[in-house]
Amino acid sequence: MKLADLSQEDYRDVLQGPGLYCRIGPFDLRLRGHHEIFADTFRFFYANAELLQLAEPGTSVFEDFRIEMSRPRGLRRYLRPQVKFTTDSETPFEPFPLDHSFPHFEWGLNWLIASRAHHYLMLHAAVLARGDKALVLPASPGSGKSTLCAALMLRGWRLLSDEFGLLRPESGLLEPIPRPIPLKNESIEVIRAFSPQSAVLGPTYSRTRKGDVAHVRPQVNESVAGDHAAKPAWVVFPRYLAGVADGLYPFAPGRSFLQLSGNAFNYRLLGAAAFSAVVKMVETCPRYYLEFSDLEHAVALIEEMVAA
Amino acid sequence: MPPSQDSRPTLRYFSGVFPELLHRTWEQETFLFNPRSGDTHILNALSWQLLRFCAEGPHNETVLEQAFTGWLAEIDDGPPTRAEQSLLLDQHLDELYRLGLVQCEGLP
């Protein structure tokens, strides 16, 4: 059963009551939320999340993350209302403005994954797939990774992840965790213009610490929804540069190793397993550096690479 | 005991610390996982050759210098004088020692 299958009334009851028990990618999440701003946005973006069976009273279920989005007590309920992110009875961050509940949730979930999911090598990379073959786009912030990722998804690629390339070191497979793709500032209008028919964006959050942010809703592009792992098949290091002539260039294995390991959140923590996993990816995948200023052309270059 | 200390013994023996190391060589650079520190090091061809030779040891400085001179002769821009070669060997050994990849024992 998907979240979208739940009636609005049942959804609200469970979200405000025992908590919504659902699966996001490989993670089982118990989520409580007390305000309609958050509830509506979460449902909009995670309509395809699988609902899990709540435990019978007196029994327990396994949860990777337990999150509550609630409003702080006191004057803040009335004066510039806020929302706080609580996990396992801890509130690790300062509250956000109430109307920024959803980006606060996304940010908090990123933090939880980055701090706990060490059974994966976590690459800072967008990952998309054709069938079981994954295209890995590792990049630093500001490189145009999310914009390119959204564009490829809108052209039919299966979204595995925009933020975390979750690689299982023992199998070398990338796990899907299709979540909303956050776009910043000019990228918001770029994607609207890129695919006006199919790009579904949520509200724009103004004046966040990263500027204006809007999320693109994950799209289900293949008959089997984005729930199966994929094998790394291509690695492309994207970089957006205004006015540059678009080009896709072979990238040396040593430099690729440095970029991949340097962009992994937990490379040092995983040690030898991470080293071997990155070496394997470097040696089994063709690697390229993509410099682009024209999104349409960048997508075409990637399609040509895949066809070749 | 660092290899370059002034009070070093007259003859030092160097050997590798780890019997096996995870590594890959691409285009004259070797990427090496250090199991003790968790670091990944990038060694040039000369350092990698020296480390592998030490791992077959222990070898004393005289033996190392002979081998090192031979490797340098294969490199076009190798330093011309023996003193420079010796200095270069010391620098490479110092670096491998600092990274914890070789160990040094001095004989009285």
Side-chain angles (χ1 to χ4, degrees), chain A residues 13-70:
Chain A
D13 285 350
V14 77
L15 194 64
Q16 294 177 9
L20 189 76
Y21 188 34
C22 64
R23 181 163 292 160
I24 295 178
F27 304 113
D28 293 349
L29 180 80
R30 176 77 71 98
L31 175 66
R32 296 185 76 220
H34 303 280
H35 197 277
E36 62 186 21
I37 289 179
F38 174 73
D40 291 347
T41 319
F42 181 83
R43 187 181 168 95
F44 172 78
F45 280 115
Y46 285 99
N48 282 314
E50 184 188 347
L51 293 182
L52 304 171
Q53 193 66 45
L54 284 171
E56 296 297 321
T59 64
S60 60
V61 293
F62 179 80
E63 297 160 4
D64 291 289
F65 309 126
R66 180 177 282 219
I67 297 171
E68 181 165 0
M69 303 297 295
S70 60

Side-chain angles (χ1 to χ4, degrees), chain A residues 252-255 257-258 267-268 271-273 275-276 279 282-283, chain B residues 22-27 29 31-33 37-42:
Chain A
R255 302 304 101 184
F257 180 94
L258 288 178
Y267 175 82
R268 276 186 65 88
F275 179 90
S276 299
V279 164
V282 167
E283 294 193 330
Chain B
L22 284 174
H23 69 277
R24 272 300 185 283
T25 300
W26 293 301
E27 298 169 342
E29 286 182 321
F31 293 72
L32 180 75
F33 178 73
S37 65
D39 289 333
T40 299
H41 309 299
I42 307 175

Side-chain angles (χ1 to χ4, degrees), chain A residues 111-149:
Chain A
W111 177 79
L112 279 173
I113 294 169
S115 16
R116 296 192 191 169
H118 298 302
H119 45 306
Y120 296 105
L121 175 63
M122 289 182 271
L123 304 170
H124 186 226
V127 184
L128 302 110
R130 280 276 166 79
D132 293 329
K133 291 183 171 183
L135 165 67
V136 184
L137 303 170
S140 311
S143 58
K145 164 180 70 69
S146 294
T147 313
L148 183 60
C149 174

Side-chain angles (χ1 to χ4, degrees), chain B residues 7-28:
Chain B
S7 59
R8 66 188 186 187
T10 52
L11 198 57
R12 297 175 300 167
Y13 279 71
F14 288 87
S15 58
V17 172
F18 307 103
E20 285 184 21
L21 284 165
L22 284 174
H23 69 277
R24 272 300 185 283
T25 300
W26 293 301
E27 298 169 342
Q28 304 298 311

Side-chain angles (χ1 to χ4, degrees), chain A residues 185-202:
Chain A
N185 304 314
E186 291 82 2
S187 294
I188 299 168
E189 287 314 312
V190 167
I191 286 298
R192 278 192 217 281
F194 180 81
S195 190
Q197 304 301 320
S198 48
V200 181
L201 280 81

Side-chain angles (χ1 to χ4, degrees), chain A residues 218-232:
Chain A
Q219 193 167 286
V220 179
N221 283 332
E222 294 188 0
S223 54
V224 180
D227 59 358
H228 57 293
K231 187 177 178 184

